[in-house]
Amino acid sequence: LGDVATQGLEALARTRGLEAYPTPFLAIDLDVLDRNLGKMQGFFSERHARVRPHVKSHKCTAIARLQLAAGAVGVTCATTDEVAAMVGAGIDDVLLANVVVDALRIGRLVQSARSARVTVAADSSEVVAAYSAAAVEAGATLGVVVDYDVGMHRNGVETVEEGLALGEEIATSPGLELRGVMAYEGHLVAIEDRAERSAAALLAFAEPLALLHELRLRGHAAPMLTGSSSATHDSTGALSEMTDVQAGTYALMDANYRRLAPEFEPGVVVVASVLTARAGGALVLDAGIKRLSVDWGKSKLLGYAAEHRYTAEEHCVFRHLDGPLPRVGERVALLVGHVCTTMSLYRSALGCRGGELECVLEIDGRDPLA
Ligand SMILES: Cc1ncc(COP(=O)(O)O)c(C=O)c1O
C-alpha cells in the first residue's frame, strides 16, 4: 500500500510485549483509534447530529467506552448480545438498529431496557406486538423507531403510509415509546464517487424525512432520525434533521472500506507468522478464514510486495512479487479486508500504543453461544 497510514501498522507486529502471544492475533493501534474517534467527533462538533457509533464493527465494550469519552451520545448495536454487553458495561443509551423476533432475544432486550434507555427498530405489526407484550411483562419501557427501507431491501417499511400506520401502533402500544425513524443507506455506501454517493444518499432520505414530518404533524414527539455510515456521515449525517449517526467502521477502518472514507486510518491488523517464503513464489501465513474474514475484500500483507491468491481455513496464501522477502517464522502484519467480520472471530485484541502493549481488549459483545 505504501502510504503513511499503513506504515505505522507494519510496526505493530513488532510491538514490545506481543512476543508473549502466539500468532495469529489481532493488534490495535490505540493512537490511530483515538485519531479516528477525534476526527468523527470533530466533524459533528458544530452540527446538529450526534455520533452514535455502531459497535458491530468491534463488539468491544472498552472501545465503546472510548467512543463515549470522545463525545458519542450512546451506541448503536446489531444484536441483543451487543446490547446486553454494552448495558452491562454501564452504557446507558443504546440503539438496536435491527428488528428482533426471537422471543428469548426480545426477553433479553427488555431486561436491558429496565436499566438503560434502549431503542429498537420495528417494521411490522408482529414485532411491535411482541415488543409491547415483552416490555409490559418486564415492567420496562422500550423505545422504538420505525425502520424505513431506503432501497437496501433488508428491513424496513416501504412507504410513508405504512410507516405512519406502524408509528401510530407503536405510540399506542403499552410498554413502548415511539422515538422516531431509522433509515440505513447501506446499498449506497460503496458508490466510488463521493459526490455521487452523497447525492444518492441524500435523495434516499426524502421519504424517511417525510414520514418523520408526518408523524410530528400528527402530534408525536418522534425526536429521532437515525441512520448514516462512515462513508456517508458527511452527507446524510449533516442533514439538519439527523439526530444520531450510526457510523461503525470509521473507528478501526480496513483495507476495503478505506477507499470510501480515506480520512479515517486503518488501526487494526492481524499479526501472523510466515510459514513459507519463496522468492517470486508462495508466501504463506498462519492465519486463515477462521481468523480472517473473506466476505468483503482481500487482506493486504503490509511491508512486502505480495499479491493475495487465496485464503484457506488456516492459511493465507500470497505470491511474492519482488523486493525483500520475509524470513520463515517472521511475524508480519495483515491489514484485514473487512474489520467488522474479522473482529468477531476473536475473543480479544491486543491494544498497543507507542510501540508498547498497553492492554488486552475483550471482544465481549459476541454471542456467547457462537
Ligand atoms: C444498520 C446499520 N447502520 C449503520 C451502519 C454503518 O456502518 P459503517 O460505518 O460501518 O458503514 C451499518 C453497517 O453495517 C448498519 O448495518
Side-chain angles (χ1 to χ4, degrees), residues 274 276-284 301 303-306 318-328 330 332:
V274 176
T276 301
R278 297 180 198 283
L283 206 173
V284 185
L301 174 59
Y304 295 98
F318 291 85
R319 190 171 70 84
H320 174 249
L321 295 174
D322 50 41
L325 183 70
R327 292 176 285 105
V328 169
E330 182 174 325
V332 292

Side-chain angles (χ1 to χ4, degrees), residues 99 122-123 146-150 153-159 162:
V99 170
D123 64 355
V146 177
D147 189 355
Y148 201 100
D149 178 7
V150 289
H153 305 316
R154 190 166 68 181
N155 303 129
V157 299
E158 291 181 348
T159 63
E162 198 190 335

Side-chain angles (χ1 to χ4, degrees), residues 282-358:
L283 206 173
V284 185
L285 310 180
D286 67 350
I289 292 170
K290 290 173 179 172
R291 296 305 191 87
L292 208 56
S293 71
V294 294
D295 60 317
W296 201 46
K298 295 168 186 165
S299 298
K300 290 191 165 46
L301 174 59
L302 299 178
Y304 295 98
E307 170 185 85
H308 180 269
R309 288 191 52 225
Y310 65 93
T311 314
E313 283 188 48
E314 303 287 359
H315 303 85
C316 193
V317 181
F318 291 85
R319 190 171 70 84
H320 174 249
L321 295 174
D322 50 41
L325 183 70
R327 292 176 285 105
V328 169
E330 182 174 325
R331 289 177 165 210
V332 292
L334 275 170
L335 180 56
V336 301
H338 188 185
V339 62
C340 313
T341 45
T342 296
M343 289 290 287
S344 65
L345 298 173
Y346 292 80
R347 289 187 200 288
S348 53
L350 303 173
C352 309
R353 199 189 293 277
E356 303 278 345
L357 172 61
E358 186 173 291

Side-chain angles (χ1 to χ4, degrees), residues 54 56 97 154 182 184 228-230 246-249 257:
H54 207 321
K56 57 104 197 183
R154 190 166 68 181
M182 172 183 138
Y184 169 54
S228 200
S229 73
S230 304
Q246 303 172 184
T249 308
Y257 205 117

Side-chain angles (χ1 to χ4, degrees), residues 56-78:
K56 57 104 197 183
S57 196
H58 51 70
K59 289 182 183 269
C60 171
T61 57
I63 295 179
R65 280 200 298 263
L66 291 177
Q67 290 175 306
L68 289 172
V73 66
V75 295
T76 303
C77 297

